Amino acid sequence: MTQNILKSSLENASFNIIFQILCRGVTFVLNAFVVRHVGQAVLGVINIILDTIMIAIRTITFVPLILHNPENALLAFGVAQLVAAIFYTTSHYLYFHYYIKKINKCKLKRRMSLKDSSDEYVVREFPFKTVTDFLPGQLENKESYLDKKLTILTWSFFRQGILKQVLTEGERLIMTVMPVLTFTEQGTYEIVNNLGSLAARFIFRPIEDSGYFYFTQMVKRDKSINDQNPVKIQESVNVLTHLCSAVMSIGLVVLVFGQSYSSTLLWLYGGAKLTTYLPVLLMRAHCLAILLLGINGVTECYTNATADSATINKSNLIMIYESIAFLCASYLFAIWFGPVGFILGNCVNMSLRILHSIVFINKRYRDTVYHPLRGLVPKPVFSASLLIAALVTNVSHAYFFPDEKVLHLTIGVIMFMIVLVSWIYEHHDLIRLGTNKWYERRNRHKKSD
């Protein structure tokens, strides 16, 4: 059972990452075209809050409209945003309508077939019979209209969602309400922020979503660690440790190489106008935010997946103070440092959230022999290789960019390979585990064939 849950979580994360890359590959090219042909001041007014599907639909709608009538860029954005929102909402209902209709037809057709009993199992597991079941309704065999425990937990997550929205998009509120930045600075910030968040959306978000599903199945909210299944706890600790190690390693690589190759990435994306001082500074600062974002994603997904309703309510109260601190820090840093102040404010926000999650996890495992957060400590050989890479790539950037871009990029590839080899050397146990799992799966497929 535990292996099936882990396998399902890994497959879900893999498919999400592949899907994100495929979608972003198209929108990356289209957005790069928009950046090169639309002024940064206009992008600052638009102020690019997006999801993967909405970005794709909106951009595909936006590009023809802006080509047809470049003067009405704001109107084109509004139309594209409306089309994307309608598509995003209706597509979910249409899909589930099709899916429910399909499995109901399958159930009627194959109910008596023992050979196809797996289809009947899928039908029994799916809780909805019609699309209207997605709407609120009364539970069967319940005297009360609402389940009390479920209502309390849902209300806790609802309040937490509002607070997390403020923590996630608070800088947009400050940009819109308070004139701390010009439209050009806002546009530059949006370009860099969207580009810098690709790693988070490609990798960290699928890991976080799959990790949340996995931990909810493995760790019970209302019991102490010592009172739970030791096999499940041991495996969940191992998974959390490896996840922490993975996101820490990815974040450190982004931080180190981002200092020397932010200008190269911006040049590839938007041309020479994005290699000026401000965009490069923003991208370099964003690399630190990516590191903290990855750590926060893993630690917070575990906290949300294993905390009881009382702890979540307490977390909501703490988030109120975090929101106030984040908004104040963003406002003050924006006044003092300009657009980079919003990124520094986000770093403060992520640091506070990481601290809160670490305190929760340490408290959860305080009376046990487990130490799941040891994965956040990078190993010595990997750390040394990162320091060498930082020195070499910064010297390369000083001497070879922008005149010798190919040579500068080649040096970066070589140093990245050295860092990768050092990571593999110190994580051979994880590599061996992944290889063994792959061989086991391949052998099972061969036997089944």
Side-chain angles (χ1 to χ4, degrees):
M1 182 63 180
T2 59
Q3 293 299 317
N4 290 334
I5 294 173
L6 180 58
K7 177 184 176 182
S8 177
S9 301
L10 292 174
E11 289 179 348
N12 185 37
S14 302
F15 287 134
N16 277 337
I17 292 173
I18 294 172
F19 177 75
Q20 292 276 358
I21 292 175
L22 291 176
C23 290
R24 288 285 176 169
V26 177
T27 55
F28 179 87
V29 176
L30 294 178
N31 280 331
F33 176 84
V34 172
V35 168
R36 288 173 180 265
H37 291 81
V38 177
Q40 294 174 352
V42 175
L43 294 175
V45 176
I46 292 173
N47 200 6
I48 295 178
I49 301 172
L50 305 168
D51 260 336
T52 302
I53 296 179
M54 293 186 70
I55 286 178
I57 300 298
R58 198 205 68 182
T59 308
I60 292 172
T61 306
F62 181 62
V63 170
L65 292 176
I66 200 68
L67 287 176
H68 178 70
N69 195 351
E71 291 78 15
N72 290 330
L74 296 180
L75 178 62
F77 171 80
V79 173
Q81 187 75 0
L82 180 62
V83 171
I86 294 174
F87 175 84
Y88 185 76
T89 303
T90 57
S91 61
H92 285 78
Y93 286 98
L94 290 175
Y95 169 77
F96 281 108
H97 173 74
Y98 164 78
Y99 180 74
I100 293 172
K101 185 177 179 181
K102 179 181 177 181
I103 60 176
N104 284 338
K105 187 180 295 184
C106 178
K107 182 178 180 180
L108 291 174
K109 186 177 180 180
R110 303 179 182 178
R111 180 183 299 172
M112 304 303 296
S113 175
L114 295 176
K115 181 179 179 180
D116 296 320
S117 60
S118 59
D119 291 328
E120 198 170 349
Y121 174 77
V122 173
V123 174
R124 287 199 305 268
E125 287 295 316
F126 194 72
F128 303 124
K129 296 181 180 179
T130 64
V131 177
T132 56
D133 291 340
F134 285 88
L135 302 177
Q138 188 170 0
L139 297 174
E140 295 182 0
N141 301 323
K142 291 285 185 178
E143 297 180 359
S144 175
Y145 186 75
L146 298 175
D147 182 89
K148 185 176 180 180
K149 292 181 63 176
L150 186 59
T151 302
I152 294 174
L153 186 62
T154 303
W155 175 243
S156 300
F157 277 116
F158 175 74
R159 290 185 296 174
Q160 188 182 68
I162 295 176
L163 293 172
K164 288 186 69 174
Q165 184 67 20
V166 174
L167 290 173
T168 304
E169 307 293 345
E171 73 271 13
R172 268 82 171 182
L173 298 175
I174 297 176
M175 283 186 193
T176 304
V177 176
M178 303 176 183
V180 293
L181 299 181
T182 65
F183 285 144
T184 301
E185 290 176 331
Q186 289 186 35
T188 303
Y189 175 85
E190 285 298 316
I191 294 170
V192 174
N193 185 61
N194 287 330
L195 185 60
S197 62
L198 290 180
R201 294 178 180 177
F202 279 163
I203 302 174
F204 294 149
R205 182 177 292 178
I207 290 176
E208 181 180 348
D209 293 341
S210 299
Y212 179 85
F213 165 77
Y214 172 79
F215 291 127
T216 55
Q217 305 301 310
M218 299 295 291
V219 183
K220 295 181 179 179
R221 296 178 181 272
D222 54 352
K223 287 187 177 181
S224 65
I225 296 297
N226 290 324
D227 295 333
Q228 300 191 42
N229 188 327
V231 176
K232 288 187 175 182
I233 294 301
Q234 179 64 66
E235 183 177 303
S236 64
V237 167
N238 292 337
V239 170
L240 180 57
T241 302
H242 290 315
L243 286 180
C244 289
S245 178
V247 297
M248 174 62 79
S249 301
I250 294 171
L252 287 175
V253 169
V254 171
L255 178 62
V256 167
F257 286 89
Q259 304 311 304
S260 302
Y261 291 93
S262 292
S263 53
T264 305
L265 178 61
L266 290 169
W267 177 78
L268 290 172
Y269 184 69
K273 67 180 180 180
L274 287 185
T275 58
T276 56
Y277 173 77
L278 179 59
V280 174
L281 178 63
L282 288 172
M283 182 60 74
R284 288 174 174 173
H286 209 287
C287 293
L288 174 60
I290 290 174
L291 170 62
L292 297 175
L293 189 67
I295 299 173
N296 175 71
V298 171
T299 55
E300 197 169 70
C301 89
Y302 181 87
T303 300
N304 292 335
T306 62
D308 56 16
S309 58
T311 304
I312 293 175
N313 286 330
K314 184 178 179 180
S315 299
N316 291 338
L317 181 60
I318 295 175
M319 276 192 174
I320 293 176
Y321 298 114
E322 291 177 350
S323 301
I324 295 173
F326 165 57
L327 294 176
C328 292
S330 298
Y331 178 72
L332 293 176
F333 287 160
I335 293 176
W336 294 339
F337 306 113
V340 74
F342 286 110
I343 298 178
L344 297 179
N346 263 322
C347 291
V348 172
N349 168 29
M350 291 296 116
S351 300
L352 292 175
R353 291 165 66 175
I354 290 170
L355 179 62
H356 172 64
S357 298
I358 287 177
V359 169
F360 170 80
I361 295 173
N362 284 333
K363 184 177 179 181
R364 192 93 155 110
Y365 289 92
R366 182 171 53 195
D367 298 326
T368 69
V369 296
Y370 305 112
H371 303 282
L373 295 178
R374 67 181 184 272
L376 294 177
V377 180
K379 296 188 177 181
V381 177
F382 176 67
S383 301
S385 66
L386 284 176
L387 291 175
I388 296 173
L391 177 62
V392 173
T393 55
N394 274 280
V395 172
S396 174
H397 181 270
Y399 282 94
F400 301 125
F401 188 86
D403 297 330
E404 299 289 342
K405 298 183 182 69
V406 176
L407 178 59
H408 177 53
L409 187 61
T410 302
I411 293 174
V413 172
I414 294 173
M415 296 310 302
F416 176 77
M417 295 304 297
I418 293 174
V419 170
L420 181 61
V421 170
S422 70
W423 186 89
I424 293 174
Y425 170 76
E426 289 189 317
H427 294 81
H428 54 84
D429 54 339
L430 180 58
I431 302 298
R432 189 186 302 112
L433 176 62
T435 304
N436 292 338
K437 293 294 183 182
W438 183 79
Y439 277 120
E440 290 176 4
R441 183 178 180 184
R442 189 180 69 170
N443 292 334
R444 284 197 301 268
H445 283 299
K446 285 184 178 180
K447 291 180 179 179
S448 61
D449 293 338

